[in-house]
């Protein structure tokens, strides 16, 4: 029985490395939209309503648990709600439909209220549309994980 030679092992290693590198490459859509998702978390911490207006379309719809909000209602809630001191995303996955992209993941927020520290985790689904080369959120849904 012949054993595979060094050349065969080298070819297998190169093929596995190339396949692994290809699997880790992000599409242009994935890079752009996931970057906007991270911008969303930074804007939440900064209470940056200008960023939220840029990130969302005027007809944006937001649902959190059993509450639905328009873009202006969401902006008001960001300003008047609990102060978020840190926010980050976990396990984001992009579902690409051409000029529409859906992102699922978990949003983690941390802050303080009345001297007490809190942490919330939300399962989210965000829907983005690309109009004239610009991605904006058209809808978002967060569900508080108990």
């Amino acid at each position: 029985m012949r054993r595979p030679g060094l050349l065969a092992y080298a070819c297998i290693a190169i093929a596995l490395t190339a396949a692994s590198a290809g699997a880790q490459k992000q599409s242009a859509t994935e890079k752009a939209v996931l970057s906007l998702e991270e911008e969303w978390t930074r804007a939440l911490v900064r209470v940056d309503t200008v960023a939220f207006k840029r990130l969302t379309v005027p007809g944006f719809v937001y649902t959190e648990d059993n509450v639905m909000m328009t873009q202006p209602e969401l902006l008001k809630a960001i300003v008047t709600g609990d102060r978020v001191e840190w926010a980050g995303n976990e396990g984001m996955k992009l579902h690409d439909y051409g000029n529409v992209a859906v992102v699922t993941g978990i949003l983690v927020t941390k802050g303080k209220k009345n001297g007490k520290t809190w942490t919330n985790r939300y399962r989210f689904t965000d829907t983005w549309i690309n109009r004239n080369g610009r991605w904006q959120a058209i809808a978002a849904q967060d569900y508080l994980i108990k």
Side-chain angles (χ1 to χ4, degrees):
M1 176 182 257
R2 291 188 66 191
R3 293 185 182 166
L6 185 57
L7 180 59
Y9 284 121
C11 289
I12 291 169
I14 290 169
L16 290 173
T17 301
S20 175
Q24 293 176 5
K25 284 186 181 177
Q26 287 184 320
S27 70
T29 297
E30 191 170 15
K31 282 180 185 178
V33 174
L34 295 185
S35 175
L36 293 172
E37 289 283 355
E38 295 301 336
E39 185 177 342
W40 185 286
T41 62
R42 290 188 300 274
L44 188 59
V45 171
R46 292 189 318 260
V47 190
D48 187 347
T49 57
V50 172
F52 277 103
K53 285 180 185 176
R54 185 180 66 256
L55 290 168
T56 60
V57 299
F60 176 78
V61 178
Y62 174 71
T63 305
E64 182 179 321
D65 297 326
N66 65 339
V67 177
M68 198 278 307
M69 292 181 230
T70 63
Q71 183 201 52
E73 291 167 333
L74 175 63
L75 296 175
K76 182 179 178 184
I78 290 167
V79 171
T80 62
D82 291 346
R83 177 77 170 100
V84 176
E85 296 178 343
W86 182 89
N89 293 311
E90 298 176 351
M92 286 192 295
K93 182 172 180 178
L94 182 119
H95 308 267
D96 190 346
Y97 300 98
N99 71 329
V100 173
V102 174
V103 179
T104 57
I106 298 196
L107 168 66
V108 181
T109 59
K110 296 179 181 185
K112 287 183 186 172
K113 184 175 183 175
N114 300 326
K116 292 189 178 187
T117 302
W118 54 265
T119 300
N120 287 329
R121 295 175 56 82
Y122 298 90
R123 165 64 63 191
F124 73 85
T125 302
D126 295 342
T127 305
W128 299 81
I129 191 164
N130 187 331
R131 291 189 190 153
N132 303 318
R134 180 177 174 203
W135 287 99
Q136 288 183 291
I138 58 175
Q141 184 274 329
D142 290 340
Y143 176 81
L144 182 62
I145 300 170
K146 304 281 183 192

